[in-house]
Amino acid sequence: MATQRFSSLLASSFLPSFRTSAISKFLRFQSKGRYFEYSKNGIRSFSSAVVHEEPITPPVEVKYKQLLINGQFVDAASGKMFPTYDPRTGDVITMVAEADTEDVNRAVSAARKAFDEGPWPKMSAYERSCIMLRFADLLEKHSDELAELETYDNGKPYEQAANEEIPMLLRLFRYYAGWADKIHGLTAPADSLHHVQILHEPIGVAGQIIPWNFSLLMFAWKVGPALACGNTVVLKPAEQTPLSALYVSKLFHEVGLPPGVLNVIPGFGSAGAALASHMDVDKLAFTGSTETGQAVLSAAAKSNLKPVTLELGGKSPFIICEDADIDKAVELAHSAVFFNQGQCCCAGSRTFVHERVYDEFVEKAKARALKRVVGDPFKKGIEQGPQIDTEQYEKILKYIKSGIESGATLESGGDKLGSKGFYVQPTVFSNVQDNMLIAKDEIFGPVQSLLKFKDLEEVIRRANSTHYGLAAGVFTRNIDVANTITRALRVGTVWVNCFNIFDAAIPFGGYKMSGHGREKGVYSLNNYLQVKAVVTSLKNPAWM
């Protein structure tokens, strides 16, 4: 009876804001910005995350909504437009021109003419470098607008966009500008009387399809090396986040980029499919899900056998060894999975913790998640904004439900947050087993799975037991342990006592079904170059 009276008192005291979760079946309510859970075992705080109900008005103006083809903004041939949404509210930001097959044909035709007849591949590499450097300088002048636009269209915290992603955007274009006049071939000795010259030439028209989670950085990862090598580009941004690519591409033309060199065609899967299967596209680069990557690769193979680079999904292990500084490890593991709302292909979403420190780690990981501040990404101090859209939002909630139903222990979070937009509570599961969906599938959301291990041989085997192979993290003070693990893991990147380090010179890409090819660094240039051998007969050479 006492418990029933207490429950009634709670319901009446917090009537305006209490909710019954469809996932956990517990009574949940909010008071003074803090969320609580009530069950037969009593009340416990489960999240201090706050969502501000009245969204801040973005200070940025949306200027460019059309397709960018041959240096001009134009409507789609069909006249169709589609909405891009504010993830904070689900409201429409603006309508954007929707490219389809005819528009892809127009863009590829412009890129082909610019490559075959235009000045870009024919100008000196130094001239291309200067244009790219001027572009980086202009981006820097528009840094605030770019960060605001990225936050508005994507939902990521403004401070993250402004302080981390925009500086990296500038660095990437300056890095590739520096490479433009340093791409050269070789001469090779021959056994016979011949001079052998090896040329590195631009590949031609590059089709590029980028995702929504880091739309500006992916723009730089793709466009930077392609243009540095002298190619022309047809870029399809994700339909969820088309605005920033259109904006920066307009800036590129302001500093002297010739028409047709960079074409931007927002649209849906049909536009991507048309680009992947186009007979006049010489190379394709795709970043996105493994499933879509398979379709892209198939389309490329069935058309003109164009080479394809793929940066796909991941389910990255983050291994916490028994000698780890637990407080530092907890903070790093937290950042590894919750960064960018968990919407990161290399997120350390499988956190393996040694059994000797597991219980302590679980409690501290839970406490850290409860302190994570969720809310309007334009507000100062916000760590986590909304998920990108309703589809991703519902997908994450379904995975959380599956974790509960499969027997994992829900330590924190576990539900949606707020009454507007696509906010999800920072969620931590303990006692996760390898066969659970939350341990196998790429959730792409703020969900941390904590798994226990006994020794190195076991954790290496379990970490590798996935069809993904994008990245991994190791936290240890023992250099021998670090060397053993880093060499044993079948992934493209291993971070030791750090995570999510994306320097411009560091190559990034995956093993297995996480893709092939590498982004960033000198290795990215190989994606956009052809190798030609020129052999010339020699008569009476002074030397061989």
Side-chain angles (χ1 to χ4, degrees):
M1 290 293 293
T3 301
Q4 290 177 348
R5 286 197 298 272
F6 195 27
S7 177
S8 299
L9 175 62
L10 288 172
S12 60
S13 300
F14 300 97
L15 188 60
S17 58
F18 85 93
R19 296 177 290 118
T20 302
S21 168
I23 294 177
S24 66
K25 307 302 182 184
F26 293 130
L27 177 68
R28 290 177 171 176
F29 56 91
Q30 178 183 7
S31 176
K32 297 180 180 178
R34 192 170 180 84
Y35 285 77
F36 295 85
E37 179 181 273
Y38 174 74
S39 70
K40 64 180 181 180
N41 297 319
I43 302 175
R44 67 185 182 95
S45 166
F46 77 95
S47 177
S48 59
V50 177
V51 172
H52 298 270
E53 296 297 334
E54 293 302 323
I56 295 171
T57 301
V60 65
E61 177 187 357
V62 178
K63 298 178 181 178
Y64 308 113
K65 313 169 189 179
Q66 297 170 286
L67 314 179
L68 181 59
I69 298 177
N70 204 30
Q72 300 293 322
F73 282 108
V74 297
D75 292 331
S78 66
K80 289 183 180 178
M81 304 187 79
F82 68 94
T84 184
Y85 297 97
D86 181 348
R88 302 174 305 155
T89 62
D91 296 337
V92 175
I93 295 174
T94 190
M95 300 297 290
V96 179
E98 180 183 337
D100 214 327
T101 301
E102 186 174 347
D103 304 297
V104 173
N105 290 338
R106 289 195 292 164
V108 171
S109 177
R112 171 56 58 197
K113 184 175 182 180
F115 183 78
D116 291 344
E117 304 174 19
W120 186 253
K122 295 179 176 65
M123 71 173 59
S124 73
Y126 176 67
E127 290 177 279
R128 289 200 300 269
S129 174
C130 288
I131 291 175
M132 294 178 72
L133 287 171
R134 291 200 299 270
F135 174 55
D137 291 342
L138 188 58
L139 288 175
E140 191 165 18
K141 292 180 181 178
H142 290 265
S143 291
D144 290 343
E145 293 168 89
L146 291 173
E148 291 159 0
L149 192 62
E150 193 78 335
T151 295
Y152 194 13
D153 207 18
N154 178 278
K156 65 181 60 198
Y158 173 79
E159 291 175 341
Q160 173 187 318
N163 300 330
E164 299 179 43
E165 296 184 22
I166 300 303
M168 179 54 70
L169 172 72
L170 307 180
R171 178 68 180 98
L172 284 161
F173 270 101
R174 287 171 177 148
Y175 176 85
Y176 291 123
W179 265 115
D181 60 356
K182 299 171 186 66
I183 299 169
H184 54 78
L186 302 167
T187 58
D191 292 339
S192 56
L193 293 180
H194 294 90
H195 172 72
V196 181
Q197 182 181 11
I198 302 170
L199 303 178
H200 292 173
E201 300 181 340
I203 201 167
V205 176
Q208 302 179 329
I209 303 172
I210 60 174
W212 46 260
N213 56 336
F214 295 99
S215 50
L216 280 176
L217 290 182
M218 295 300 101
F219 177 93
W221 286 22
K222 296 288 192 292
V223 173
L227 296 192
C229 292
N231 299 283
T232 58
V233 170
V234 178
L235 178 85
K236 194 200 89 66
E239 64 268 21
Q240 295 92 338
T241 55
L243 301 181
S244 57
L246 292 169
Y247 189 101
V248 296
S249 297
K250 175 62 166 62
L251 296 181
F252 220 149
H253 285 82
E254 289 182 14
V255 299
L257 189 72
V261 173
L262 174 59
N263 307 273
V264 183
I265 48 168
F268 292 89
S270 60
L275 189 60
S277 60
H278 204 290
M279 294 295 292
D280 215 15
V281 171
D282 300 303
K283 188 268 178 308
L284 194 69
F286 172 81
T287 295
S289 72
T290 296
E291 294 74 19
T292 306
Q294 290 175 308
V296 164
L297 188 59
S298 176
K302 290 177 180 178
S303 55
N304 59 346
L305 282 175
K306 62 179 71 66
V308 181
T309 50
L310 300 170
E311 197 266 282
L312 307 176
K315 191 68 177 177
S316 300
F318 188 24
I319 300 171
I320 311 299
C321 299
E322 61 180 308
D323 66 340
D325 180 319
I326 296 302
D327 291 333
K328 291 181 180 178
V330 165
E331 186 61 34
L332 189 59
H334 179 86
S335 174
V337 69
F338 291 109
F339 176 69
N340 203 52
Q341 295 69 250
Q343 298 170 156
C344 191
C345 55
C346 58
S349 53
R350 289 188 295 155
T351 308
F352 288 95
V353 185
H354 194 279
E355 61 181 5
R356 293 181 183 174
V357 294
Y358 185 82
D359 291 342
E360 179 185 1
F361 190 96
V362 168
E363 288 304 311
K364 290 184 175 180
K366 168 185 173 181
R368 177 62 181 91
L370 293 174
K371 293 179 182 177
R372 188 168 184 80
V373 184
V374 184
D376 190 320
F378 281 105
K379 183 176 175 61
K380 186 176 181 180
I382 290 296
E383 296 178 280
Q384 181 177 316
Q387 309 308 131
I388 185 66
D389 60 16
T390 185
E391 180 180 354
Q392 187 65 22
Y393 172 74
E394 295 295 340
K395 172 187 171 185
I396 294 166
L397 294 177
K398 287 180 182 178
Y399 273 113
I400 292 172
K401 182 179 180 181
S402 80
I404 295 170
E405 292 177 345
S406 62
T409 302
L410 180 64
E411 297 288 347
S412 67
D415 206 350
K416 62 182 180 179
L417 191 59
S419 59
K420 290 182 180 179
F422 310 125
Y423 295 91
V424 174
Q425 295 165 358
T427 298
V428 176
F429 282 105
S430 64
N431 299 314
V432 177
Q433 305 303 312
D434 293 352
N435 61 350
M436 295 178 179
L437 288 180
I438 58 172
K440 295 194 301 181
D441 291 1
E442 184 179 34
I443 300 174
F444 228 60
V447 181
Q448 184 178 40
S449 296
L450 304 179
L451 304 95
K452 186 186 297 184
F453 75 92
K454 292 182 179 180
D455 55 49
L456 288 187
E457 183 179 350
E458 173 202 335
V459 76
I460 289 169
R461 173 180 53 78
R462 292 169 64 192
N464 282 333
S465 219
T466 172
H467 59 266
Y468 293 117
L470 191 55
V474 180
F475 202 99
T476 180
R477 300 175 184 178
N478 189 320
I479 188 63
D480 294 326
V481 169
N483 283 334
T484 297
I485 293 177
T486 55
R487 283 161 174 75
L489 294 177
R490 298 189 63 218
V491 297
T493 300
V494 183
W495 288 293
V496 181
N497 298 332
C498 59
F499 210 90
N500 283 337
I501 305 302
F502 293 105
D503 189 275
I506 300 174
F508 185 79
Y511 286 28
K512 300 186 281 186
M513 291 185 73
S514 286
H516 51 249
R518 291 296 181 266
E519 311 273 5
K520 301 192 290 106
V522 63
Y523 295 93
S524 65
L525 302 174
N526 297 333
N527 300 332
Y528 298 98
L529 292 170
Q530 288 279 22
V531 177
K532 178 186 288 181
V534 179
V535 183
T536 305
S537 178
L538 295 174
K539 292 184 178 180
N540 302 317
W543 50 268
M544 283 294 293

